[in-house]
């Protein structure tokens, strides 16, 4: 909905909260239901005790023999039914998933002898989820451990409808990431603030369709990572592996024939704390990871080198390489490149530590405290610096996430959760940490070489630092009013602090920095606030399941906007307005048989744009010169933020069918449509000097429609398999919010597209397959195969667009990953020796292409320049070899895991 006066909006929120119960639910527990009957008479048995073994969860059957247990953490359980005069029955391998209902029925026989042992039955998981009202996948710890994946994002990208982080055709940043039901998105960028390592995951839930009212600030999907808790008995494992890139494509990937080391050590330990009578448990994990990467440069030059390629004749060029001066010759150029030291240019280092404490002071109270600390350092490849690798930006991100959770059970049907979370993300980007570092040289060194030539000196000039702090308060209550209605409603309060400082380093200036009033020095601190409330009812009838809910979101941006856009930097400012929106959502699942369910769902989904777009260029500075030798790393010159942006909106319709076939097979077919409005775009304005600049506004739009088909073969006869296929069309008027401004910057200015065109991530056909052979827990071979048709691009010739935007397709993508292991028992420990191979067939998948040929391997550009040698050390052929246009070559890891 539109903007409101802040005071009116706050009053509206308070009135709504007086009507709605003040509680929320984070989607981290499931429900167990069932019925107990007499095996001979088929009559219901009241008063039967139902217990989840080795837990405090239990219930008793009612007069009709029904029971239900709520608030169960995801996992695999043994469920026991006991009644005097009847033989006990234990059902093992009962899987409970978050937000889902698992059904287990019992038939009890009267005892003939007092000493008869309990009957043990192994549960067979139903492959159709009766209460699934949207598209959702739940992947447990065992499944993740048996796949060739390294990070949880690898698992997410295997789900139907997900293409490289885009959920069903949505832009990046439209997904809510959660840890144990608590949102952990970095509101500045929209991505996750911290990455949970695979060895800490109990269950991963991915919702790629419509989702319930309890989830907000997302338009395309939800990823909820439920973390592991401590165990009753001490257990743990340690994993070590080493790896390298093994490829024959040494003409593209320099140094690929040498060792490009990959190393990983991770471990976890879990158990009870001595002296607390099993009431205090801990889970501790850590991971240290290093990857040199697969793109190398050559240290021919250092940033301080000053070569002269200005003369017309190459014979008069002067080359300074690592402080030594030479007269140019082609033989010298090749010798310098061949003899230079290879330097990694897309390396990654990451450390993660996790500690989770779980305390049960009473049988009705549970307190958990969790902390995750992560440090990541990496480098993004910059092609211009391939012979001067020291001149590129270094990136570092530190993240801390803390979650405190108190659970109190009022009755077998009602429990309270109170959560508080705090996360802090610090991101830094620079070449040298200190702007007074003597190694900084003038930006003029970036102009020593000409077009199509690697830089022979200089370094990137900006320093960028930002910090996001978010505190979240969530009081939670869940109540099963009767056997039909489970009520959830909620309140969520988010308090943010965003700080940013970016500036260009000026080596010739005594202060090395411009004043804050200049375009190349920006700093701000903002304290935006978000509030949300929702009410939701899960109605479970014998013939139908309904999820119906209503959500309200309120946002105070804590920003300012200029009143006169002709003079934005000098204009008086006014406070940005608050906003709120209401989102109705409904999903219905209708069983058509014992093994078939149809579902239909509909919902409105809103999301505030990433806060980067609200606050960028806080002084609204407009640069009078339209180009600069050293642009800022995170934004475009002459773009200004807009704290008055409206929430972006998506309306989703979905229809699906689940059908189990026999005992071990199931299929799922889903059709969906998304209508997307109020997407972020740019409005091109002019100031009083006639300089064009861009202001972010809600102007873009699009739609997505498609179908997904999934086939699952449950593990049997040493084989399990999954296949999913996605066909979708994702169109819009712009893929990039900056498109309108970029079009206005061309000479002559290009008219922005007014028709709907394929979006940059519009992959029409995607197939994902997973196959596991063997006996998991002893030995197994797992394969992941992925095929996708090419993404669109805009064709050009001599940098002039030759057809409409995104009218041609890149080559198709194909990839196979492998994981194989064998377990051995020795000395009371289990050892697992394994090998993983990513891009098993070393395929050159062309992810980016030259827009004049549509291929990554060649371009027509040498024809444009008549074959003239670039003003630099390299040849044209060397410059147009683009390792960054391809996916990673074959990567092999060999390791061992020890478990006790």
């Amino acid at each position: 909905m539109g903007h409101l006066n802040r005071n009116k909006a706050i009053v509206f929120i308070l009135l709504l909260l007086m009507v709605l119960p003040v509680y929320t639910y984070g989607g981290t527990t499931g429900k167990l239901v069932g019925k107990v009957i007499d095996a001979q008479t088929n009559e219901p048995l009241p008063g039967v005790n139902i217990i989840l073994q080795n837990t405090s969860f239990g219930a008793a059957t009612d007069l009709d023999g029904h029971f239900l247990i709520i608030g169960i953490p995801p996992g695999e359980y043994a469920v026991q039914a006991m009644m005097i005069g009847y033989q006990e029955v234990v059902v093992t391998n009962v899987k409970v998933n978050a937000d889902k209902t698992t059904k287990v029925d019992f038939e009890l026989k009267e005892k003939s002898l007092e000493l008869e042992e309990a009957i043990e039955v192994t549960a067979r998981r139903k492959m159709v989820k009766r209460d699934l009202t949207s598209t959702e996948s739940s992947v447990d710890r065992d499944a993740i451990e048996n796949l060739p994946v390294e990070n949880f994002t690898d698992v997410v990208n295997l789900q139907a409808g997900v293409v490289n982080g885009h959920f069903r055709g949505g832009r990046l940043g439209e997904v809510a990431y959660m840890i144990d039901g608590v949102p952990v998105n970095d509101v500045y960028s929209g991505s996750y603030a911290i990455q949970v390592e695979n060895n800490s995951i109990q269950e991963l839930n991915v919702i790629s369709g419509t989702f319930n009212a309890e989830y907000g600030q997302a338009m395309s999907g939800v990823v909820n990572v439920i973390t592991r808790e401590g165990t009753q008995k001490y257990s743990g494992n340690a994993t070590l592996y080493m790896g390298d890139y093994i490829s024959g494509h040494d003409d593209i990937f320099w140094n690929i024939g040498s060792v490009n080391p990959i190393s990983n050590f991770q471990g976890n330990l879990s158990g009870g704390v001595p002296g607390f009578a099993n009431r205090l448990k801990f889970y501790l994990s850590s991971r240290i990871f290093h990857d040199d990467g697969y793109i190398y440069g050559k240290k021919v030059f250092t940033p301080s080198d000053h070569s002269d390629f200005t003369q017309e004749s190459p014979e008069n060029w002067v080359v300074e390489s690592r402080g030594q001066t030479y007269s140019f010759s082609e033989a010298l150029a090749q010798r310098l490149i061949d003899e230079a030291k290879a330097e990694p240019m897309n390396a990654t280092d990451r450390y993660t530590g996790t500690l989770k404490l779980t305390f049960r002071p009473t049988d009705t109270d549970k307190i958990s405290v969790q902390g995750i600390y992560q440090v990541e350092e990496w480098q993004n490849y910059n092609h211009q610096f391939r012979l001067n690798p020291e001149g590129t930006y270094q990136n570092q991100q530190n993240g801390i996430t803390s979650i405190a959770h108190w659970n109190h059970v009022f009755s077998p049907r009602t429990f309270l959760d109170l959560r508080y979370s705090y996360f802090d993300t610090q991101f830094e980007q620079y070449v040298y940490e200190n702007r007074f570092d003597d190694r900084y040289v003038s930006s003029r060194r970036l102009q020593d070489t000409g077009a199509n030539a690697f830089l022979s000196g200089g370094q990137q000039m900006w320093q960028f630092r930002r910090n996001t702090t978010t505190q979240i308060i969530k009081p939670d209550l869940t109540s099963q009013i009767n056997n039909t209605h489970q009520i959830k409603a909620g309140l969520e309060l988010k308090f943010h602090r965003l700080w940013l400082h970016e500036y260009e380093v000026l080596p010739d200036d005594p202060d090395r920095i411009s004043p804050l009033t200049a375009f190349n020095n920006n700093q701000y601190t903002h304290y935006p606030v978000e509030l949300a409330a929702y009410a939701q009812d899960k109605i479970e009838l014998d013939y139908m399941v309904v999820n119906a809910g209503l959500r309200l979101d309120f946002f105070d941006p804590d920003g300012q906007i200029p009143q006169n856009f002709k003079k934005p930097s000098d204009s008086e400012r006014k406070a940005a307005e608050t906003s709120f929106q209401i989102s109705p959502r409904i999903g219905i699942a209708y069983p058509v048989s014992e093994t078939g369910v149809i579902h239909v769902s509909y919902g409105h989904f809103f999301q505030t744009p990433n806060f980067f777009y609200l606050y960028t260029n806080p002084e609204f500075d407009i640069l009078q010169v339209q180009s600069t030798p050293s642009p800022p790393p995170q934004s475009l010159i002459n773009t200004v933020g807009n704290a008055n942006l409206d929430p972006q909106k998506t309306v989703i319709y979905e229809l699906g069918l689940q059908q189990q076939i026999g005992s071990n097979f199931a299929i799922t077919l889903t059709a969906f449509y998304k209508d997307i409005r109020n997407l972020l775009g740019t409005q091109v304005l002019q100031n009083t000097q006639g300089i064009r600049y861009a202001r972010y506004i809600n102007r873009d739009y699009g739609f997505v429609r498609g179908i997904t088909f999934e086939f699952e073969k449950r593990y049997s006869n040493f084989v399990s398999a999954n296949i999913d296929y996605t066909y979708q069309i994702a169109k819009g008027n712009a893929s990039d919010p900056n498109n309108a401004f970029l079009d206005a910057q061309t000479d002559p200015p290009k008219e922005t597209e007014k028709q709907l065109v394929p979006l940059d991530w519009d992959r029409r056909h995607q197939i994902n397959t997973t196959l596991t052979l063997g006996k998991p827990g002893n030995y197994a071979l797992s394969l992941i195969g992925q095929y996708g048709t090419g993404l669109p691009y805009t064709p050009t010739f001599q940098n002039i667009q030759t057809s409409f935007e995104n009218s041609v397709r890149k080559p198709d993508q194909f990839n196979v990953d492998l994981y194989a292991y064998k377990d051995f028992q020795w000395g009371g420990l289990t050892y697992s020796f394994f090998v993983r191979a990513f891009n098993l067939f070393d395929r050159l998948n062309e992810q980016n292409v030259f827009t004049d040929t549509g291929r990554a391997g060649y371009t027509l550009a040498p024809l444009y320049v008549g074959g003239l040698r670039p003003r630099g050390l390299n040849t044209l052929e060397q410059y147009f070899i683009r390792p960054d246009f391809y996916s990673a070559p074959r990567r092999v890891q060999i390791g061992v895991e020890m478990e006790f």
Side-chain angles (χ1 to χ4, degrees), residues 740-767:
F741 183 52
L742 294 173
D743 290 342
Q745 298 294 93
T746 61
D747 187 19
K750 185 176 69 173
E751 184 177 1
T752 300
E753 290 288 349
K754 295 182 180 179
Q755 61 179 332
L756 293 175
V757 298
L759 297 172
D760 288 351
W761 49 89
D762 174 41
R763 174 159 287 155
R764 294 295 167 89
H765 304 276
Q766 175 78 34
I767 300 174

Side-chain angles (χ1 to χ4, degrees), residues 102-137:
T102 300
K103 188 176 182 181
V104 179
D105 293 327
F106 291 88
E107 294 182 5
L108 300 188
K109 297 179 180 180
E110 291 189 18
K111 280 186 177 181
S112 57
L113 295 173
E114 287 298 324
L115 299 179
E116 284 184 331
E117 295 183 355
I119 299 173
E120 184 171 305
V121 180
T122 301
R124 292 279 287 176
R125 174 180 62 89
K126 289 187 176 181
M127 302 182 73
V128 169
K129 296 179 181 178
R130 185 178 179 275
D131 58 341
L132 189 67
T133 59
S134 65
T135 301
E136 178 178 347
S137 301

Side-chain angles (χ1 to χ4, degrees), residues 517-823:
T517 55
F519 87 96
N520 54 354
N521 186 1
N522 300 301
Q523 184 172 347
Y524 64 70
T525 304
H526 291 283
Y527 297 88
V529 175
E530 296 179 82
L531 302 176
Y534 75 87
Q536 183 170 303
D537 187 7
K538 183 176 183 179
I539 307 167
E540 295 184 272
L541 304 168
D542 290 337
Y543 58 90
M544 184 171 59
V545 176
V546 179
N547 277 307
L550 187 70
R551 181 181 180 88
L552 183 143
D553 289 276
F554 166 80
F555 178 55
D556 179 0
D558 184 40
Q560 292 186 327
I561 59 173
Q563 297 192 44
N564 183 353
F565 289 103
K566 286 289 186 181
K567 299 185 294 183
S569 59
D570 300 325
S571 170
E572 293 185 3
R573 315 277 173 83
K574 63 178 181 180
E577 298 173 335
T578 59
S579 65
F580 79 92
Q581 56 275 338
I582 295 176
S583 314
R585 302 172 192 179
I586 186 169
I588 301 172
Y590 179 74
V592 293
S593 68
E594 284 296 318
T595 57
V597 178
I598 292 175
H599 80 261
V600 60
S601 56
Y602 163 85
H604 289 236
F605 305 90
F606 293 88
Q607 183 179 11
T608 302
N610 299 337
F611 290 5
F612 162 83
Y613 298 105
L614 275 63
Y615 308 127
T616 189
N617 194 351
E619 300 296 328
F620 305 98
D621 297 315
I622 308 302
L623 182 64
Q624 301 305 310
V625 180
Q626 290 295 297
S627 62
T628 176
S630 181
Q634 301 289 327
S635 59
L636 296 177
I637 292 174
N638 288 356
T639 56
V640 299
N642 181 4
N644 257 356
L645 287 170
D646 287 320
Q648 303 170 106
K649 176 183 178 180
T650 296
V651 180
I652 304 179
Y653 309 82
E654 182 177 302
L655 174 66
L657 166 68
Q658 302 176 75
Q659 180 63 55
Q660 183 168 337
I661 304 172
S663 300
N664 297 313
F665 301 93
I667 61 171
T668 302
L669 180 65
T670 306
F672 59 89
Y673 179 83
K674 297 170 63 174
D675 182 54
I676 310 168
R677 303 288 171 176
N678 268 10
L679 281 176
L680 205 62
T682 46
Q683 177 187 25
V684 180
L685 304 171
Q686 281 191 349
N687 64 8
T688 54
Q689 286 78 36
I691 303 298
R692 289 193 185 96
Y693 71 98
R695 178 179 184 245
Y696 291 109
I697 62 170
N698 300 95
R699 63 164 289 169
D700 290 349
Y701 53 90
F703 76 87
V704 184
R705 65 173 181 263
I707 60 171
T708 61
F709 174 81
E710 301 173 62
F711 168 82
E712 177 186 0
K713 182 195 179 300
R714 194 207 314 257
Y715 178 76
S716 63
N717 299 322
F718 304 101
V719 179
S720 66
N722 289 82
I723 302 173
D724 68 68
Y725 165 73
T726 301
Y727 169 78
Q728 70 178 18
I729 299 173
K731 289 188 174 183
N733 70 310
S735 300
D736 184 347
N738 296 300
N739 270 12
F741 183 52
L742 294 173
D743 290 342
Q745 298 294 93
T746 61
D747 187 19
K750 185 176 69 173
E751 184 177 1
T752 300
E753 290 288 349
K754 295 182 180 179
Q755 61 179 332
L756 293 175
V757 298
L759 297 172
D760 288 351
W761 49 89
D762 174 41
R763 174 159 287 155
R764 294 295 167 89
H765 304 276
Q766 175 78 34
I767 300 174
N768 300 320
T769 64
T770 61
L771 175 67
T772 300
L773 307 172
K775 189 177 181 180
N778 185 1
Y779 63 91
L781 170 69
S782 294
L783 294 166
I784 292 177
Q786 294 180 287
Y787 167 80
T789 53
L791 298 176
Y793 74 95
T794 304
T796 65
F797 182 74
Q798 294 188 346
N799 297 321
I800 299 175
Q801 185 172 322
T802 59
S803 183
F804 63 85
E805 184 177 336
N806 280 348
S807 58
V808 189
R809 296 276 164 172
K810 302 174 186 176
D812 295 351
Q813 308 285 299
F814 175 70
N815 185 73
V816 175
D817 299 330
L818 175 146
Y819 173 51
Y821 71 89
K822 178 68 176 77
D823 290 347

Side-chain angles (χ1 to χ4, degrees), residues 389-617:
E390 288 185 5
T392 59
Y393 287 125
Q394 307 294 318
N395 306 289
Q396 177 175 306
Q397 180 164 304
N398 300 343
I400 299 174
T401 296
S402 303
I403 301 173
H405 174 206
W406 172 48
N407 171 268
H408 176 71
V409 178
F410 291 106
S411 71
R413 291 174 176 262
T414 304
F415 64 89
L416 170 73
D417 285 296
L418 179 62
R419 289 183 176 91
Y420 169 79
S421 71
Y422 170 90
F423 74 76
D424 180 277
T425 302
Q426 178 79 34
F427 174 79
E428 298 182 347
Q429 184 179 51
Y430 45 71
V431 176
Y432 307 118
E433 184 174 6
N434 188 342
R435 72 175 188 264
F436 291 101
D437 194 307
D438 291 337
R439 289 174 292 178
Y440 270 113
V441 297
S442 171
S443 62
R444 290 189 293 272
R445 296 286 72 75
L446 299 174
Q447 303 174 53
D448 287 346
T449 55
N452 302 324
F454 296 122
L455 294 174
S456 61
Q459 72 285 301
Q460 293 175 303
M461 302 302 298
W462 285 68
Q463 295 213 356
F464 180 91
R465 293 176 173 86
R466 69 172 181 88
N467 174 259
T468 301
T469 300
T470 297
Q471 299 182 73
I472 302 176
I473 300 173
K474 296 181 64 180
D476 305 346
L477 183 68
T478 300
S479 183
Q480 186 79 37
I481 296 177
N482 51 43
N483 288 341
T484 302
H485 294 272
Q486 185 184 61
I487 297 295
K488 303 176 185 179
L491 176 68
E492 182 178 80
L493 299 89
K494 296 181 183 178
F495 304 95
H496 307 287
R497 176 187 178 272
L498 282 85
W499 173 86
L500 178 146
H501 190 196
E502 63 173 358
Y503 57 86
E504 182 181 11
V505 177
L506 306 175
D508 299 329
D509 189 293
D511 294 328
R512 296 286 183 104
I513 190 172
S514 296
L516 274 175
T517 55
F519 87 96
N520 54 354
N521 186 1
N522 300 301
Q523 184 172 347
Y524 64 70
T525 304
H526 291 283
Y527 297 88
V529 175
E530 296 179 82
L531 302 176
Y534 75 87
Q536 183 170 303
D537 187 7
K538 183 176 183 179
I539 307 167
E540 295 184 272
L541 304 168
D542 290 337
Y543 58 90
M544 184 171 59
V545 176
V546 179
N547 277 307
L550 187 70
R551 181 181 180 88
L552 183 143
D553 289 276
F554 166 80
F555 178 55
D556 179 0
D558 184 40
Q560 292 186 327
I561 59 173
Q563 297 192 44
N564 183 353
F565 289 103
K566 286 289 186 181
K567 299 185 294 183
S569 59
D570 300 325
S571 170
E572 293 185 3
R573 315 277 173 83
K574 63 178 181 180
E577 298 173 335
T578 59
S579 65
F580 79 92
Q581 56 275 338
I582 295 176
S583 314
R585 302 172 192 179
I586 186 169
I588 301 172
Y590 179 74
V592 293
S593 68
E594 284 296 318
T595 57
V597 178
I598 292 175
H599 80 261
V600 60
S601 56
Y602 163 85
H604 289 236
F605 305 90
F606 293 88
Q607 183 179 11
T608 302
N610 299 337
F611 290 5
F612 162 83
Y613 298 105
L614 275 63
Y615 308 127
T616 189
N617 194 351

